[in-house]
Each structure stands twice: as C-alpha cells, then as structure tokens.
Amino acid sequence: MKRIKDVFSDFKLGDNISIAIVDDVVLSKNTKTIEMKISSDKYIELRELDNLNDFIKKRFGLNECKIVVNYAHGTYKKPIEEELKNIVFHLANNYPALK
C-alpha cells in the first residue's frame, strides 16, 4: 500500500494527510466519480481533506470525489464542537444554497 505523498507527488500536502495510506480506490467512469479509502494514525484536518478532494477532481476531471478516513484505534480526534465551524464552512462552500 502506498502513502498519499507517493501517489500524488505533485500535490502540496499537509503533514498528517501526506503519511496516510491509500487502502482502496473505486473509479466510476460513467458518473465521473472516485471513492478513496485511506487510513491514518494521526488526525487529518477537514481542510486537508478538502484540498486533496479538490486537487483530485481537477486533476482527473471528475464530478465528485469522496474520501473516507479510517483512523487507527486510539487516534486523537478533535471533538465535534471544535470542528463544527469547519464543517459549516465546508458545507457552505460546497452547497451554496445552505448559506
């Protein structure tokens, strides 16, 4: 299995997402979508995931990109209260009608 930094060497990565391991990738040509499962033992910020998501869509000309992160047991994750602002910002950017 390869790390994100090995698969996307031309992408300027954050520290935590660069060492995540790509477990599975499913590409659908008909719908122009990709689903990628990655695993990490460090918490990956939502902004890092958004940046990778946007990079993949632009690079491969896709309509949609979904990244699912599986964390190792015992990985520190931020409480939802701390991430709520980032989640709302993410939704407002991706779904303008929610503003």
Side-chain angles (χ1 to χ4, degrees):
M1 293 188 217
K2 292 192 174 199
R3 299 197 181 274
I4 296 285
K5 66 180 178 182
D6 298 330
V7 176
F8 302 108
S9 59
D10 55 335
F11 178 63
K12 293 181 173 67
L13 306 164
D15 292 333
N16 292 344
I17 200 165
S18 66
I19 58 173
I21 296 174
V22 178
D23 293 324
D24 189 31
V25 177
V26 177
L27 175 65
S28 173
K29 289 183 181 179
N30 294 338
T31 59
K32 295 179 95 176
T33 61
I34 191 169
E35 288 187 34
M36 182 169 31
K37 293 180 183 177
I38 62 176
S39 58
S40 179
D41 59 352
K42 294 186 179 182
Y43 182 74
I44 300 172
E45 296 286 337
L46 187 59
R47 289 183 188 132
E48 290 180 88
L49 288 171
D50 279 345
N51 289 339
L52 179 60
N53 196 337
D54 292 341
F55 173 79
I56 291 171
K57 286 194 298 189
K58 288 177 186 173
R59 181 171 183 193
F60 298 109
L62 301 172
N63 294 332
E64 189 64 37
C65 177
K66 180 179 178 184
I67 302 172
V68 178
V69 182
N70 294 317
Y71 291 104
H73 182 70
T75 302
Y76 167 78
K77 297 176 206 144
K78 285 187 178 179
I80 192 70
E81 295 83 16
E82 289 182 33
E83 284 292 349
L84 194 55
K85 185 176 181 180
N86 291 330
I87 292 169
V88 170
F89 180 75
H90 169 75
L91 289 173
N93 278 342
N94 291 331
Y95 306 99
L98 295 176
K99 286 184 181 180

